[in-house]
Structures are given as C-alpha cells and as structure tokens.
Amino acid sequence: MGTGTGNGTYTCLADGSWKDQYGLEDIPVCWPVCGKPDKPITSIQQTVGGSEAPQGSFPWQAMTAIHGRGGGALLGNLWILTAAHTIYPKWRPDSGERESLIQIAERTEVFLGHTTVDKLHRLGSHPIRRVFVHPGYRPNENHDFDGDIALIELQDPVTLGPNLLPICLPDAGNSNFYTRGRMGYASGFGVEEYFLPEQLKYTALPVTGRASCQEWLRGKKVDGKDPVFSENMFCAGSPHRKDTCQGDSGGAFSMLDQESGRWVATGIVSWGIGCDKGYGFYTKILHYLDWIKGITGENWL
C-alpha cells in the first residue's frame, strides 16, 4: 500500500496499477508486496517427514510438472524461481539432441494458489511464456549441481490474494541468512515414504557450517566422483534426520527477516545424498541476484 499524490490512499492492484478509495486510478506502476503471508508459520516444526502446511502459510509455493513433480516459488506476479535440474534433470540420459527450452515451455505445467494437489489441479495450470536456465548449470555432470537455478515466465500475471503471494529475495550483500544455526523452512509436495503426498508439507531446518557438511561428504561418491560443494551452495539440516526429497526440488528455502518482518527466499532445494540420509544442499540465491534481475528486468529486487 502507498500514498498517492492526491488526498486519497492508493492501493496496489494485482495488475500493477494504483487505485484509491473512490475508484480512481493513478499512473505510477506498483509492485506486489512480497513476503507477507496471511498465516505465517510461527513455531519451529521439525517433525520427521514434515508437517502439513496451513493454507496461506507458504502462498508463494508452486508445484511444477515438467519431467515429474517439482517445486518453485512465485516472484512478483509473473515469474517462478526454481532449480535448473527440474528443467534439465541430471538423471535423464542425453540421447540425440537435447529438448529445447521452447519445447519445454510448451509442455510445462505450473500450479499455484493452494496446499492440496487436487485443488491445484482444479484451479488449473498457468500457461508458460519462456523458460531460462542459468548458463553455469551442467546437466551432464551428475556430481555437480553448481548453477542449479532457473526462471519460468508465465504468460499472464497472476491475481494475487491471501493464498497466492510472492516471496522476497535477499538484499545484495546480506550474508546473515547463511549464518550457522539460522533456521529456515523447506516446503514442497515431494516424496514421502515412497509415495507422493497430496498435501503441501514443510519442515524447519538449521543452516549448517560448511566444514561440517564438507566432512560429512568426505568419502561419498556420485557416479564415482566427489560431489561438488561450491561457494554457490549452502547446506542445512542434520546428518541424523530426514530432509527434502524428489518432488521438493526447485522449492524455496525460506527465512523470516526479523528486521523487515518479510519472508525471504535464501535458497533453492537442489541436491542431497539420498532422501533421508543427512544434510540437504541448496542453491545460494544471494549469488544469483544479478542474473535474476537481468532476466526479469524487474525493480522489486
């Protein structure tokens, strides 16, 4: 909400225009308010397998269907932030020419606005205009998830409301979100006990120090190679409890910024060694803000 140049108070509408209490519209473009869920999570839930997310608690959550179920997060009212490997999976063999991003965009489905899969399907998928994959992502390197970030542009802006709101991005240079012990939330519709759940789940996970994660990775191999844990990633969770799994990939690792009172996407669910065998690894969004801004051209960064 903002104050207009006249005597009235102007409200930001979903289409990006301002409207006052008398129904008059003003010229300046406004941007959707991010990171203000109607029913934010207030307690630290660390239930094994995750807890059911109340409606309105993660209103930026997207469910994607590309090579299977995946996740994403709404930015503004036109963009979905997700993981590159949901677009070009590591496990998918390269036989002949790789499917183009144009072809992928034509068959990609994105669902928004609810916490149950059935209701999401009833609401219907949002048509896609374009898909962008970070140039640093290497789809043929199964042990290396560096650059695991992608953007999906919707054809039309979504209508925002209590169950559909964007998440904020971190301020450039603010590395406090990645401090050891800082709590964040991973949410998604991923695999749970060998089946796909019908309800959005979430779990609280602490950011873990790099040294602990590097030590935990020591001796572990992916296709006979040491998994890459680059500076563009961070790790969260515990070596002794369940983490995210297939179907959660691409979803946001969200944190509450105590200073602004807004929820911020600090990471993207990226990779791990198994689904229930320790730490999870996340794309560090802070390192990709320039790329996101360059693609979207938006001013809400």
Side-chain angles (χ1 to χ4, degrees):
M1 179 174 286
T3 302
T5 55
N7 295 325
T9 298
Y10 289 87
T11 302
C12 183
L13 303 180
D15 64 1
S17 64
W18 292 96
K19 192 172 185 178
D20 71 3
Q21 67 265 43
Y22 305 109
L24 300 176
E25 294 187 6
D26 204 4
I27 295 175
V29 172
C30 55
W31 302 100
V33 174
C34 64
K36 287 285 190 177
D38 188 52
K39 297 178 181 178
I41 297 298
T42 57
S43 60
I44 302 297
Q45 299 281 349
Q46 291 183 288
T47 307
V48 173
S51 301
E52 291 190 357
Q55 184 78 327
S57 56
F58 296 94
W60 47 80
Q61 180 73 47
M63 186 180 76
T64 65
I66 307 173
H67 299 282
R69 186 181 291 186
L74 179 67
L75 300 180
N77 59 3
L78 198 61
W79 294 90
I80 304 297
L81 182 68
T82 188
H85 80 267
T86 67
I87 311 296
Y88 286 140
K90 297 285 188 177
W91 50 263
R92 191 176 180 86
D94 247 344
S95 54
E97 187 176 349
R98 179 174 290 278
E99 189 176 17
S100 72
L101 290 177
I102 294 176
Q103 292 172 311
I104 291 175
E106 289 175 347
R107 64 177 183 79
T108 292
E109 293 183 297
V110 171
F111 302 90
L112 294 158
H114 213 281
T115 56
T116 64
V117 175
D118 179 62
K119 292 288 182 62
L120 286 172
H121 283 144
R122 290 184 189 180
L123 290 170
S125 64
H126 294 262
I128 306 305
R129 183 183 299 277
R130 293 180 294 177
V131 176
F132 299 85
V133 172
H134 192 274
Y137 175 69
R138 303 175 182 86
N140 295 325
E141 299 290 336
N142 290 347
H143 69 296
D144 185 358
F145 280 78
D146 204 39
D148 192 16
I149 184 171
L151 285 163
I152 299 172
E153 183 184 12
L154 305 177
Q155 281 192 13
D156 303 298
V158 297
T159 300
L160 303 178
N163 299 323
L164 184 54
L165 292 169
I167 193 168
C168 302
L169 293 174
D171 293 329
N174 185 359
S175 60
N176 293 332
F177 291 113
Y178 306 102
T179 303
R180 180 177 180 177
R182 185 78 181 262
M183 295 299 296
Y185 292 85
S187 56
F189 297 91
V191 173
E192 183 183 56
E193 298 296 335
Y194 306 105
F195 70 91
L196 287 172
E198 288 296 308
Q199 176 74 31
L200 178 66
K201 298 291 187 72
Y202 75 95
T203 188
L205 299 165
V207 173
T208 309
R210 292 192 67 85
S212 298
C213 298
Q214 288 168 335
E215 179 62 30
W216 182 79
L217 285 172
R218 192 183 305 277
K220 294 179 172 63
K221 301 290 183 181
V222 176
D223 286 353
K225 299 179 181 178
D226 294 330
V228 173
F229 181 28
S230 78
E231 292 295 326
N232 295 320
M233 310 169 187
F234 69 95
C235 123
S238 163
H240 308 299
R241 64 183 295 270
K242 290 190 176 183
D243 189 54
T244 51
C245 197
Q246 287 91 358
D248 294 320
S249 292
F253 188 88
S254 56
M255 290 183 176
L256 177 61
D257 183 349
Q258 299 291 345
E259 292 185 6
S260 68
R262 299 184 187 275
W263 287 80
V264 176
T266 60
I268 301 171
V269 179
S270 183
W271 64 280
I273 308 293
C275 289
D276 57 353
K277 299 174 181 174
Y279 298 115
F281 295 82
Y282 301 80
T283 302
K284 187 181 287 187
I285 291 175
L286 186 69
H287 287 188
Y288 295 97
L289 294 178
D290 288 342
W291 180 76
I292 295 172
K293 187 173 182 179
I295 296 295
T296 64
E298 302 290 8
N299 296 323
W300 33 257
L301 269 175

